[in-house]
Amino acid sequence: MRQMKKMTIILTLLFLLVLAGCANDSESEKTAELTVSAAASMTDSLLEVKEAFEKEHPAIKISYNFGGSGALRKQIEQGAPIDLFFSASKTDYDKLVKQDMVQDGTAIFQNELVLIKSNQTDLNSRDDLMQQGGSIAVGTPDAVPAGTYAKEVLENIGVWEELQDRQMLVFTKDVSQVVTLVSQGAVDVGIVYASDVIARDDVTVIDRFDPSLHATIEYYAAIIKSEEQQSEVMQARETFYQYVLENEAKDIFRKYGFLIME
C-alpha cells in the first residue's frame, strides 16, 4: 500500500514537472505582434520587407496600417497603439518628436516627384494639360505629404491658382489613391512619387519635377514611445527598427525606387 502511494506521488510530481516544462516552452515561444503605421507610398516595399523579416524572425508578426502620413500622425497623437511609424513627411515626424512621442528615429531615404498619365489619355506633358484641360489628382495637401509637395511644385511653376479656378484638381486621401484613379482613367494625370509607379505598366511617367521646385522628400522611421512593458514586445520593436536600417531591407527599398541615404 505504501509502495502504491509512493508511486502515485512520484507520478504526480513527474506530471507537474512536465506541465511546468510545457508552460515554460509556451512562454519562450510567445509571438510578439507589432502594429506599424506607414505612408501609403511604402505599401509594396514594406509588404516585401515584412515577408523577409518574418522568415528571419518567426516569433514576431507585423501588422500594417497604411495611409497618409499626416492622418497617421494624428492617430498616434490621439493615442492609437502604434509601435513604429514610417513617415513620408519630415514635418509629421518632427511634430511627434517635439511632443516627445518618439523613442528613436532617423531619416531612411528620399524620393522624387513625377507626373503620370493613364494609358487612356493622349496628354503627354504638363503643357498639354494646361492647354487641353483635364483633371489632375494630387493628395490632399494638409494630410498627404505627396500632396503637399505637389502643391509646392504647382505654386512654384505658377499654375496652382489656375488649376483651382478651372476646377481641374482632384484631391485624394493618400498617394496610392492617385495612382488608382490615374490607372483606371478616372482622371487624366496625377502627381505621385517615382517609387509608386516603378513596377507598374498601366501608367506612364510624362514628367519628372526638378527637386528644386519642392522641399526635399525624406522618409523617416520611428519607434513610438509606449506604456507597453512586455519585454518581448519591446525587444521586437527594436529588432524590426534595426532591420529596416540594414542592407537587406535597403536593397528592397532601392528596388522600389527609393533613394537610399548612406
Side-chain angles (χ1 to χ4, degrees), residues 75-141:
Q75 291 173 8
I76 293 171
E77 290 173 336
Q78 292 165 4
I82 303 302
D83 294 294
L84 290 96
F85 177 43
F86 291 92
S87 175
S89 161
K90 184 177 187 300
T91 297
D92 289 307
Y93 170 79
D94 285 344
K95 285 182 178 179
L96 294 180
V97 171
K98 288 178 181 176
Q99 295 176 74
D100 196 28
M101 301 184 78
V102 172
Q103 177 180 316
D104 198 1
T106 186
I108 50 176
F109 44 69
Q110 298 180 344
N111 215 331
E112 298 177 294
L113 213 59
V114 297
L115 183 69
I116 61 172
K117 73 167 187 173
S118 71
N119 294 335
Q120 291 83 19
T121 181
D122 60 358
L123 295 175
N124 291 306
S125 70
R126 54 179 129 156
D127 290 335
D128 287 347
L129 175 68
M130 299 309 296
Q131 290 170 9
Q132 299 176 31
S135 51
I136 175 170
V138 299
T140 303

Short mmCIF file of all heavy atoms in Angstrom, two decimals, residues 75-141:
data_model
loop_
_atom_site.label_atom_id
_atom_site.label_comp_id
_atom_site.label_asym_id
_atom_site.label_seq_id
_atom_site.Cartn_x
_atom_site.Cartn_y
_atom_site.Cartn_z
N GLN A 75 -3.44 60.07 -35.65
CA GLN A 75 -3.89 58.89 -34.92
C GLN A 75 -2.96 58.58 -33.75
O GLN A 75 -3.42 58.24 -32.65
CB GLN A 75 -3.96 57.69 -35.86
CG GLN A 75 -5.05 57.78 -36.92
CD GLN A 75 -4.97 56.64 -37.93
OE1 GLN A 75 -4.20 55.70 -37.77
NE2 GLN A 75 -5.78 56.73 -38.98
N ILE A 76 -1.67 58.71 -33.99
CA ILE A 76 -0.69 58.47 -32.93
C ILE A 76 -0.85 59.51 -31.82
O ILE A 76 -0.83 59.17 -30.62
CB ILE A 76 0.74 58.52 -33.50
CG1 ILE A 76 0.97 57.33 -34.44
CG2 ILE A 76 1.79 58.49 -32.37
CD1 ILE A 76 2.25 57.39 -35.23
N GLU A 77 -1.04 60.76 -32.20
CA GLU A 77 -1.23 61.83 -31.21
C GLU A 77 -2.47 61.58 -30.36
O GLU A 77 -2.52 61.94 -29.18
CB GLU A 77 -1.36 63.18 -31.91
CG GLU A 77 -0.06 63.66 -32.54
CD GLU A 77 -0.25 64.92 -33.38
OE1 GLU A 77 -1.39 65.18 -33.85
OE2 GLU A 77 0.73 65.65 -33.57
N GLN A 78 -3.48 60.93 -30.95
CA GLN A 78 -4.73 60.66 -30.24
C GLN A 78 -4.69 59.36 -29.45
O GLN A 78 -5.69 58.94 -28.86
CB GLN A 78 -5.88 60.63 -31.25
CG GLN A 78 -6.17 61.99 -31.88
CD GLN A 78 -7.05 61.92 -33.11
OE1 GLN A 78 -7.53 60.84 -33.48
NE2 GLN A 78 -7.27 63.05 -33.76
N GLY A 79 -3.52 58.71 -29.41
CA GLY A 79 -3.36 57.55 -28.56
C GLY A 79 -3.48 56.20 -29.22
O GLY A 79 -3.56 55.17 -28.53
N ALA A 80 -3.47 56.16 -30.56
CA ALA A 80 -3.53 54.86 -31.24
C ALA A 80 -2.33 54.01 -30.83
O ALA A 80 -1.21 54.52 -30.74
CB ALA A 80 -3.55 55.07 -32.75
N PRO A 81 -2.54 52.73 -30.57
CA PRO A 81 -1.45 51.85 -30.10
C PRO A 81 -0.52 51.44 -31.23
O PRO A 81 -0.56 50.32 -31.73
CB PRO A 81 -2.21 50.65 -29.52
CG PRO A 81 -3.47 50.58 -30.35
CD PRO A 81 -3.83 52.01 -30.65
N ILE A 82 0.34 52.33 -31.63
CA ILE A 82 1.26 52.11 -32.76
C ILE A 82 2.67 51.89 -32.23
O ILE A 82 3.15 52.64 -31.39
CB ILE A 82 1.24 53.32 -33.72
CG1 ILE A 82 -0.19 53.58 -34.21
CG2 ILE A 82 2.20 53.10 -34.87
CD1 ILE A 82 -0.83 52.42 -34.92
N ASP A 83 3.33 50.86 -32.75
CA ASP A 83 4.68 50.55 -32.32
C ASP A 83 5.74 51.32 -33.11
O ASP A 83 6.68 51.87 -32.53
CB ASP A 83 4.93 49.04 -32.45
CG ASP A 83 4.08 48.24 -31.49
OD1 ASP A 83 4.28 48.36 -30.27
OD2 ASP A 83 3.19 47.49 -31.95
N LEU A 84 5.57 51.34 -34.44
CA LEU A 84 6.52 52.07 -35.28
C LEU A 84 5.76 52.90 -36.31
O LEU A 84 4.63 52.56 -36.69
CB LEU A 84 7.47 51.12 -36.01
CG LEU A 84 8.52 50.39 -35.16
CD1 LEU A 84 8.03 49.01 -34.78
CD2 LEU A 84 9.84 50.26 -35.90
N PHE A 85 6.41 53.96 -36.77
CA PHE A 85 5.80 54.88 -37.73
C PHE A 85 6.79 55.15 -38.84
O PHE A 85 7.93 55.51 -38.59
CB PHE A 85 5.44 56.19 -37.01
CG PHE A 85 4.85 57.27 -37.89
CD1 PHE A 85 3.90 56.99 -38.86
CD2 PHE A 85 5.26 58.60 -37.74
CE1 PHE A 85 3.36 57.99 -39.65
CE2 PHE A 85 4.73 59.61 -38.52
CZ PHE A 85 3.78 59.30 -39.47
N PHE A 86 6.34 54.95 -40.09
CA PHE A 86 7.14 55.31 -41.26
C PHE A 86 6.46 56.49 -41.93
O PHE A 86 5.36 56.35 -42.47
CB PHE A 86 7.24 54.12 -42.23
CG PHE A 86 8.06 52.98 -41.71
CD1 PHE A 86 7.46 51.94 -41.01
CD2 PHE A 86 9.43 52.94 -41.90
CE1 PHE A 86 8.20 50.89 -40.52
CE2 PHE A 86 10.19 51.89 -41.41
CZ PHE A 86 9.57 50.86 -40.72
N SER A 87 7.13 57.62 -41.90
CA SER A 87 6.54 58.86 -42.40
C SER A 87 7.20 59.31 -43.70
O SER A 87 8.42 59.27 -43.83
CB SER A 87 6.68 59.96 -41.35
OG SER A 87 6.23 61.20 -41.85
N ALA A 88 6.38 59.78 -44.64
CA ALA A 88 6.90 60.36 -45.87
C ALA A 88 7.06 61.86 -45.72
O ALA A 88 7.28 62.57 -46.69
CB ALA A 88 5.96 60.05 -47.04
N SER A 89 6.95 62.34 -44.49
CA SER A 89 6.99 63.77 -44.22
C SER A 89 7.89 64.07 -43.01
O SER A 89 7.67 63.55 -41.92
CB SER A 89 5.57 64.28 -43.93
OG SER A 89 5.58 65.51 -43.27
N LYS A 90 8.87 64.91 -43.23
CA LYS A 90 9.71 65.36 -42.12
C LYS A 90 8.89 66.16 -41.12
O LYS A 90 9.09 66.07 -39.90
CB LYS A 90 10.87 66.21 -42.64
CG LYS A 90 11.86 66.66 -41.57
CD LYS A 90 13.01 67.44 -42.18
CE LYS A 90 14.11 67.74 -41.15
NZ LYS A 90 13.63 68.53 -39.99
N THR A 91 7.93 66.93 -41.63
CA THR A 91 7.08 67.75 -40.76
C THR A 91 6.31 66.89 -39.78
O THR A 91 6.27 67.18 -38.57
CB THR A 91 6.10 68.58 -41.61
OG1 THR A 91 6.84 69.48 -42.44
CG2 THR A 91 5.17 69.40 -40.70
N ASP A 92 5.70 65.80 -40.25
CA ASP A 92 4.91 64.95 -39.36
C ASP A 92 5.81 64.21 -38.38
O ASP A 92 5.44 64.03 -37.21
CB ASP A 92 4.08 63.96 -40.19
CG ASP A 92 2.95 64.64 -40.93
OD1 ASP A 92 2.16 65.34 -40.28
OD2 ASP A 92 2.87 64.49 -42.16
N TYR A 93 6.96 63.79 -38.83
CA TYR A 93 7.93 63.16 -37.92
C TYR A 93 8.36 64.15 -36.84
O TYR A 93 8.37 63.82 -35.65
CB TYR A 93 9.14 62.66 -38.72
CG TYR A 93 10.29 62.20 -37.87
CD1 TYR A 93 10.29 60.95 -37.26
CD2 TYR A 93 11.40 63.03 -37.66
CE1 TYR A 93 11.36 60.53 -36.47
CE2 TYR A 93 12.47 62.61 -36.88
CZ TYR A 93 12.45 61.37 -36.28
OH TYR A 93 13.50 60.96 -35.50
N ASP A 94 8.72 65.37 -37.25
CA ASP A 94 9.20 66.38 -36.30
C ASP A 94 8.13 66.75 -35.27
O ASP A 94 8.45 67.02 -34.10
CB ASP A 94 9.65 67.64 -37.04
CG ASP A 94 10.99 67.47 -37.73
OD1 ASP A 94 11.70 66.51 -37.40
OD2 ASP A 94 11.32 68.30 -38.60
N LYS A 95 6.85 66.75 -35.68
CA LYS A 95 5.78 67.08 -34.74
C LYS A 95 5.71 66.05 -33.62
O LYS A 95 5.47 66.40 -32.45
CB LYS A 95 4.44 67.17 -35.48
CG LYS A 95 4.28 68.45 -36.30
CD LYS A 95 2.91 68.52 -36.97
CE LYS A 95 2.77 69.84 -37.74
NZ LYS A 95 1.46 69.95 -38.42
N LEU A 96 5.90 64.79 -33.95
CA LEU A 96 5.89 63.75 -32.92
C LEU A 96 7.13 63.85 -32.03
O LEU A 96 7.04 63.64 -30.82
CB LEU A 96 5.83 62.36 -33.57
CG LEU A 96 4.54 62.03 -34.32
CD1 LEU A 96 4.62 60.63 -34.92
CD2 LEU A 96 3.33 62.13 -33.40
N VAL A 97 8.28 64.21 -32.61
CA VAL A 97 9.50 64.39 -31.82
C VAL A 97 9.30 65.52 -30.81
O VAL A 97 9.66 65.39 -29.63
CB VAL A 97 10.71 64.70 -32.75
CG1 VAL A 97 11.91 65.12 -31.91
CG2 VAL A 97 11.04 63.48 -33.58
N LYS A 98 8.72 66.63 -31.26
CA LYS A 98 8.52 67.78 -30.39
C LYS A 98 7.56 67.47 -29.24
O LYS A 98 7.63 68.10 -28.18
CB LYS A 98 8.00 68.97 -31.20
CG LYS A 98 9.05 69.58 -32.12
CD LYS A 98 8.49 70.72 -32.94
CE LYS A 98 9.55 71.30 -33.87
NZ LYS A 98 9.02 72.36 -34.76
N GLN A 99 6.66 66.52 -29.46
CA GLN A 99 5.73 66.11 -28.41
C GLN A 99 6.30 64.97 -27.55
O GLN A 99 5.58 64.40 -26.74
CB GLN A 99 4.41 65.68 -29.03
CG GLN A 99 3.68 66.82 -29.75
CD GLN A 99 2.42 66.33 -30.44
OE1 GLN A 99 1.40 66.05 -29.80
NE2 GLN A 99 2.46 66.21 -31.76
N ASP A 100 7.58 64.66 -27.76
CA ASP A 100 8.25 63.61 -27.01
C ASP A 100 7.55 62.26 -27.15
O ASP A 100 7.42 61.49 -26.18
CB ASP A 100 8.34 63.99 -25.52
CG ASP A 100 9.36 63.14 -24.76
OD1 ASP A 100 10.33 62.68 -25.41
OD2 ASP A 100 9.18 62.92 -23.55
N MET A 101 7.10 61.96 -28.37
CA MET A 101 6.41 60.71 -28.64
C MET A 101 7.29 59.70 -29.39
O MET A 101 6.86 58.60 -29.68
CB MET A 101 5.11 60.97 -29.42
CG MET A 101 4.15 61.90 -28.70
SD MET A 101 2.58 62.10 -29.57
CE MET A 101 1.77 60.56 -29.14
N VAL A 102 8.51 60.11 -29.72
CA VAL A 102 9.42 59.24 -30.47
C VAL A 102 10.52 58.72 -29.56
O VAL A 102 11.24 59.50 -28.95
CB VAL A 102 10.04 59.99 -31.67
CG1 VAL A 102 11.12 59.15 -32.33
CG2 VAL A 102 8.95 60.36 -32.69
N GLN A 103 10.63 57.41 -29.47
CA GLN A 103 11.68 56.79 -28.67
C GLN A 103 13.02 56.81 -29.42
O GLN A 103 14.07 57.09 -28.86
CB GLN A 103 11.29 55.35 -28.35
CG GLN A 103 12.36 54.56 -27.58
CD GLN A 103 11.91 53.15 -27.31
OE1 GLN A 103 10.76 52.91 -26.92
NE2 GLN A 103 12.79 52.19 -27.53
N ASP A 104 12.94 56.51 -30.71
CA ASP A 104 14.14 56.51 -31.55
C ASP A 104 13.68 56.70 -32.99
O ASP A 104 12.61 56.20 -33.38
CB ASP A 104 14.90 55.18 -31.40
CG ASP A 104 16.34 55.28 -31.89
OD1 ASP A 104 16.75 56.38 -32.32
OD2 ASP A 104 17.05 54.26 -31.84
N GLY A 105 14.46 57.41 -33.81
CA GLY A 105 14.05 57.62 -35.19
C GLY A 105 15.16 58.20 -36.03
O GLY A 105 16.13 58.75 -35.51
N THR A 106 14.99 58.07 -37.35
CA THR A 106 16.02 58.58 -38.26
C THR A 106 15.45 58.68 -39.67
O THR A 106 14.48 57.99 -40.01
CB THR A 106 17.25 57.65 -38.28
OG1 THR A 106 18.27 58.24 -39.06
CG2 THR A 106 16.91 56.29 -38.87
N ALA A 107 16.07 59.53 -40.50
CA ALA A 107 15.74 59.57 -41.93
C ALA A 107 16.30 58.32 -42.58
O ALA A 107 17.40 57.88 -42.25
CB ALA A 107 16.34 60.83 -42.56
N ILE A 108 15.54 57.71 -43.50
CA ILE A 108 15.99 56.45 -44.09
C ILE A 108 16.22 56.53 -45.60
O ILE A 108 17.09 55.84 -46.11
CB ILE A 108 15.03 55.29 -43.75
CG1 ILE A 108 13.58 55.68 -44.06
CG2 ILE A 108 15.18 54.87 -42.31
CD1 ILE A 108 12.58 54.55 -43.85
N PHE A 109 15.44 57.33 -46.31
CA PHE A 109 15.69 57.50 -47.74
C PHE A 109 14.91 58.69 -48.28
O PHE A 109 14.13 59.33 -47.56
CB PHE A 109 15.36 56.24 -48.55
CG PHE A 109 14.06 55.56 -48.19
CD1 PHE A 109 12.84 56.15 -48.47
CD2 PHE A 109 14.06 54.31 -47.60
CE1 PHE A 109 11.65 55.52 -48.16
CE2 PHE A 109 12.88 53.66 -47.28
CZ PHE A 109 11.67 54.28 -47.56
N GLN A 110 15.14 58.99 -49.57
CA GLN A 110 14.48 60.11 -50.24
C GLN A 110 13.67 59.60 -51.43
O GLN A 110 13.69 58.41 -51.75
CB GLN A 110 15.52 61.14 -50.69
CG GLN A 110 16.29 61.77 -49.54
CD GLN A 110 17.31 62.79 -50.01
OE1 GLN A 110 17.67 62.85 -51.18
NE2 GLN A 110 17.81 63.60 -49.08
N ASN A 111 12.95 60.52 -52.07
CA ASN A 111 12.11 60.15 -53.20
C ASN A 111 12.05 61.30 -54.19
O ASN A 111 12.51 62.41 -53.89
CB ASN A 111 10.70 59.79 -52.72
CG ASN A 111 10.07 58.68 -53.54
OD1 ASN A 111 10.37 58.50 -54.72
ND2 ASN A 111 9.20 57.91 -52.91
N GLU A 112 11.48 61.02 -55.36
CA GLU A 112 11.28 62.04 -56.39
C GLU A 112 9.81 62.18 -56.70
O GLU A 112 9.02 61.25 -56.46
CB GLU A 112 12.04 61.66 -57.66
CG GLU A 112 13.54 61.56 -57.50
CD GLU A 112 14.22 61.11 -58.78
OE1 GLU A 112 13.99 59.95 -59.19
OE2 GLU A 112 14.98 61.91 -59.36
N LEU A 113 9.43 63.30 -57.30
CA LEU A 113 8.04 63.57 -57.65
C LEU A 113 7.89 63.52 -59.17
O LEU A 113 8.71 64.11 -59.89
CB LEU A 113 7.64 64.95 -57.13
CG LEU A 113 6.19 65.16 -56.67
CD1 LEU A 113 5.84 64.20 -55.53
CD2 LEU A 113 5.97 66.60 -56.23
N VAL A 114 6.85 62.81 -59.63
CA VAL A 114 6.65 62.67 -61.07
C VAL A 114 5.19 62.92 -61.44
O VAL A 114 4.29 62.80 -60.60
CB VAL A 114 7.06 61.26 -61.57
CG1 VAL A 114 8.55 61.03 -61.34
CG2 VAL A 114 6.23 60.17 -60.88
N LEU A 115 4.98 63.25 -62.72
CA LEU A 115 3.65 63.42 -63.28
C LEU A 115 3.35 62.19 -64.11
O LEU A 115 4.14 61.81 -64.99
CB LEU A 115 3.59 64.68 -64.15
CG LEU A 115 2.23 65.04 -64.77
CD1 LEU A 115 1.25 65.49 -63.68
CD2 LEU A 115 2.39 66.13 -65.83
N ILE A 116 2.23 61.54 -63.84
CA ILE A 116 1.87 60.32 -64.57
C ILE A 116 0.55 60.50 -65.29
O ILE A 116 -0.29 61.33 -64.90
CB ILE A 116 1.79 59.10 -63.63
CG1 ILE A 116 0.69 59.31 -62.56
CG2 ILE A 116 3.13 58.81 -62.99
CD1 ILE A 116 0.41 58.07 -61.71
N LYS A 117 0.38 59.73 -66.35
CA LYS A 117 -0.89 59.75 -67.08
C LYS A 117 -1.43 58.34 -67.20
O LYS A 117 -0.69 57.35 -67.07
CB LYS A 117 -0.69 60.35 -68.47
CG LYS A 117 0.05 59.42 -69.44
CD LYS A 117 -0.05 59.93 -70.87
CE LYS A 117 0.54 58.92 -71.86
NZ LYS A 117 0.31 59.32 -73.25
N SER A 118 -2.73 58.25 -67.48
CA SER A 118 -3.32 56.95 -67.75
C SER A 118 -2.99 56.57 -69.18
O SER A 118 -2.67 57.41 -70.02
CB SER A 118 -4.84 57.02 -67.56
OG SER A 118 -5.42 57.78 -68.61
N ASN A 119 -3.08 55.29 -69.47
CA ASN A 119 -2.82 54.83 -70.83
C ASN A 119 -4.00 55.13 -71.76
O ASN A 119 -3.92 54.85 -72.96
CB ASN A 119 -2.51 53.32 -70.83
CG ASN A 119 -1.20 53.03 -70.11
OD1 ASN A 119 -0.33 53.89 -70.03
ND2 ASN A 119 -1.06 51.82 -69.59
N GLN A 120 -5.06 55.71 -71.19
CA GLN A 120 -6.23 56.04 -72.00
C GLN A 120 -6.24 57.50 -72.47
O GLN A 120 -7.13 57.91 -73.19
CB GLN A 120 -7.54 55.80 -71.21
CG GLN A 120 -7.85 54.33 -70.94
CD GLN A 120 -7.12 53.78 -69.74
OE1 GLN A 120 -6.65 54.51 -68.89
NE2 GLN A 120 -7.02 52.45 -69.66
N THR A 121 -5.27 58.28 -72.01
CA THR A 121 -5.27 59.71 -72.37
C THR A 121 -4.13 60.03 -73.31
O THR A 121 -3.09 59.36 -73.30
CB THR A 121 -5.16 60.59 -71.11
OG1 THR A 121 -5.18 61.96 -71.49
CG2 THR A 121 -3.87 60.31 -70.37
N ASP A 122 -4.34 61.05 -74.15
CA ASP A 122 -3.30 61.44 -75.10
C ASP A 122 -2.49 62.64 -74.61
O ASP A 122 -1.70 63.21 -75.37
CB ASP A 122 -3.89 61.73 -76.49
CG ASP A 122 -4.91 62.87 -76.46
OD1 ASP A 122 -5.19 63.41 -75.36
OD2 ASP A 122 -5.42 63.22 -77.55
N LEU A 123 -2.68 63.04 -73.37
CA LEU A 123 -1.86 64.11 -72.81
C LEU A 123 -0.43 63.60 -72.63
O LEU A 123 -0.23 62.51 -72.10
CB LEU A 123 -2.42 64.56 -71.45
CG LEU A 123 -3.81 65.21 -71.45
CD1 LEU A 123 -4.26 65.48 -70.02
CD2 LEU A 123 -3.80 66.50 -72.24
N ASN A 124 0.54 64.38 -73.06
CA ASN A 124 1.92 63.91 -73.00
C ASN A 124 2.85 64.84 -72.22
O ASN A 124 4.06 64.58 -72.16
CB ASN A 124 2.47 63.70 -74.41
CG ASN A 124 1.80 62.52 -75.09
OD1 ASN A 124 1.78 61.41 -74.55
ND2 ASN A 124 1.21 62.76 -76.25
N SER A 125 2.31 65.92 -71.67
CA SER A 125 3.13 66.86 -70.91
C SER A 125 2.24 67.72 -70.06
O SER A 125 1.01 67.75 -70.25
CB SER A 125 3.97 67.74 -71.85
OG SER A 125 3.13 68.65 -72.54
N ARG A 126 2.85 68.43 -69.11
CA ARG A 126 2.05 69.36 -68.30
C ARG A 126 1.51 70.50 -69.16
O ARG A 126 0.44 71.05 -68.88
CB ARG A 126 2.85 69.88 -67.12
CG ARG A 126 4.17 70.52 -67.45
CD ARG A 126 4.86 71.03 -66.21
NE ARG A 126 6.23 70.56 -66.11
CZ ARG A 126 7.18 71.18 -65.43
NH1 ARG A 126 6.90 72.27 -64.76
NH2 ARG A 126 8.40 70.71 -65.38
N ASP A 127 2.24 70.88 -70.23
CA ASP A 127 1.75 71.93 -71.13
C ASP A 127 0.47 71.47 -71.83
O ASP A 127 -0.48 72.25 -71.99
CB ASP A 127 2.82 72.27 -72.18
CG ASP A 127 4.01 73.00 -71.57
OD1 ASP A 127 3.83 73.64 -70.52
OD2 ASP A 127 5.11 72.90 -72.13
N ASP A 128 0.43 70.19 -72.24
CA ASP A 128 -0.79 69.64 -72.85
C ASP A 128 -1.96 69.74 -71.88
O ASP A 128 -3.09 70.07 -72.28
CB ASP A 128 -0.58 68.17 -73.23
CG ASP A 128 0.32 67.98 -74.43
OD1 ASP A 128 0.59 68.99 -75.12
OD2 ASP A 128 0.75 66.85 -74.67
N LEU A 129 -1.69 69.45 -70.61
CA LEU A 129 -2.75 69.50 -69.61
C LEU A 129 -3.33 70.90 -69.51
O LEU A 129 -4.55 71.08 -69.50
CB LEU A 129 -2.20 69.07 -68.24
CG LEU A 129 -3.17 69.19 -67.06
CD1 LEU A 129 -4.29 68.18 -67.18
CD2 LEU A 129 -2.44 69.00 -65.73
N MET A 130 -2.46 71.91 -69.45
CA MET A 130 -2.93 73.29 -69.29
C MET A 130 -3.64 73.78 -70.55
O MET A 130 -4.62 74.54 -70.48
CB MET A 130 -1.76 74.21 -68.96
CG MET A 130 -1.04 73.85 -67.66
SD MET A 130 -2.13 73.65 -66.22
CE MET A 130 -2.80 75.32 -66.05
N GLN A 131 -3.19 73.33 -71.71
CA GLN A 131 -3.80 73.78 -72.96
C GLN A 131 -5.11 73.08 -73.27
O GLN A 131 -6.09 73.71 -73.70
CB GLN A 131 -2.81 73.57 -74.12
CG GLN A 131 -1.60 74.48 -74.09
CD GLN A 131 -0.53 74.08 -75.10
OE1 GLN A 131 -0.75 73.21 -75.96
NE2 GLN A 131 0.64 74.69 -75.00
N GLN A 132 -5.14 71.77 -73.04
CA GLN A 132 -6.33 71.00 -73.42
C GLN A 132 -7.34 70.86 -72.29
O GLN A 132 -8.48 70.48 -72.51
CB GLN A 132 -5.89 69.59 -73.87
CG GLN A 132 -4.96 69.59 -75.08
CD GLN A 132 -4.49 68.19 -75.43
OE1 GLN A 132 -5.21 67.21 -75.22
NE2 GLN A 132 -3.28 68.07 -75.95
N GLY A 133 -6.91 71.15 -71.07
CA GLY A 133 -7.77 70.92 -69.92
C GLY A 133 -7.72 69.46 -69.52
O GLY A 133 -7.03 68.64 -70.11
N GLY A 134 -8.46 69.11 -68.49
CA GLY A 134 -8.44 67.74 -67.98
C GLY A 134 -8.39 67.77 -66.47
O GLY A 134 -8.49 68.84 -65.84
N SER A 135 -8.23 66.62 -65.87
CA SER A 135 -8.21 66.53 -64.41
C SER A 135 -6.87 66.03 -63.93
O SER A 135 -6.24 65.19 -64.57
CB SER A 135 -9.33 65.59 -63.92
OG SER A 135 -9.27 64.36 -64.61
N ILE A 136 -6.44 66.55 -62.78
CA ILE A 136 -5.15 66.16 -62.20
C ILE A 136 -5.37 65.79 -60.73
O ILE A 136 -5.90 66.60 -59.95
CB ILE A 136 -4.11 67.28 -62.34
CG1 ILE A 136 -2.81 66.90 -61.62
CG2 ILE A 136 -4.64 68.63 -61.87
CD1 ILE A 136 -1.65 67.85 -61.91
N ALA A 137 -5.00 64.58 -60.37
CA ALA A 137 -5.18 64.10 -59.00
C ALA A 137 -3.91 64.33 -58.18
O ALA A 137 -2.80 64.08 -58.66
CB ALA A 137 -5.53 62.61 -59.00
N VAL A 138 -4.10 64.84 -56.98
CA VAL A 138 -3.00 65.02 -56.03
C VAL A 138 -3.51 64.66 -54.64
O VAL A 138 -4.71 64.75 -54.36
CB VAL A 138 -2.45 66.47 -56.02
CG1 VAL A 138 -1.91 66.85 -57.39
CG2 VAL A 138 -3.52 67.46 -55.57
N GLY A 139 -2.61 64.26 -53.77
CA GLY A 139 -3.01 64.00 -52.39
C GLY A 139 -3.47 65.29 -51.73
O GLY A 139 -2.97 66.38 -52.06
N THR A 140 -4.41 65.20 -50.82
CA THR A 140 -4.88 66.39 -50.09
C THR A 140 -3.70 67.02 -49.35
O THR A 140 -3.11 66.38 -48.47
CB THR A 140 -5.98 66.00 -49.08
OG1 THR A 140 -7.05 65.35 -49.79
CG2 THR A 140 -6.50 67.23 -48.36
N PRO A 141 -3.34 68.25 -49.71
CA PRO A 141 -2.09 68.84 -49.18
C PRO A 141 -1.97 68.87 -47.67
O PRO A 141 -0.87 68.70 -47.13
CB PRO A 141 -2.12 70.26 -49.77
CG PRO A 141 -2.87 70.11 -51.04
CD PRO A 141 -3.96 69.11 -50.74
#
